[in-house]
Amino acid sequence: LNRPINDVDLYLPTSEIQEKALHHMEARGFQMYKKNPTHYKLTNEIVKYDLIHTWSTPEQVVAENDYEHCCVTIDKNLNFIYTENFFERLTDKKLIPTKSKADIDNFDPICKWPVSIIRRLLKLLNKGYTIDMKGLKVVCRQVIKLQDERKK
């Protein structure tokens, strides 16, 4: 709110559509500056785009995102889909893990590396968001779980 757009996340339903979008944007002068297993990051020096393929439907995007302030999408028919707390979280800037993320086995599939979760948390805290002890414990438990999985 009251800030310029930093980046645009495009959630695409299949990896095939994701690849088509990548080629389309590269043909129009966008440069890829980072590639991850689930997404590509591109820029045209004005706006950054993330082409993401992790969920198949707009409803999954809303249901599976990590924090309540991220639970919003626009589907291909331009329907605005969001959770009941979306606007409240944008205003109060509280980092509250979504109900699905309170379950330690169901955290953000984009952030499979423990350091990614910590980087994201710090990035959001640096932008003025806050997190309460309950939310912080959810994030810490997830980082520990992911780290333990890496040791196996």
Side-chain angles (χ1 to χ4, degrees), residues 42-91:
L42 299 105
T43 186
N44 65 356
E45 301 303 325
I46 298 170
V47 179
K48 297 175 189 173
Y49 286 88
D50 284 0
L51 304 179
I52 305 167
H53 170 62
T54 51
W55 303 299
S56 299
T57 68
E59 292 76 17
Q60 283 180 309
V61 171
V62 170
E64 299 299 330
N65 245 303
D66 50 1
Y67 297 107
E68 289 183 355
H69 77 280
C70 298
C71 295
V72 61
T73 190
I74 299 172
D75 69 12
K76 65 182 178 183
N77 298 315
L78 301 180
N79 294 311
F80 193 63
I81 303 167
Y82 55 94
T83 59
E84 64 184 73
N85 297 327
F86 171 71
F87 291 106
E88 186 177 341
R89 292 296 83 82
L90 280 183
T91 303

Side-chain angles (χ1 to χ4, degrees), residues 34 114-126:
K34 190 170 186 181
V115 71
S116 296
I117 293 173
I118 294 169
R119 277 191 186 120
R120 178 158 167 75
L121 177 60
L122 286 174
K123 175 182 162 184
L124 294 167
L125 292 171
N126 287 333

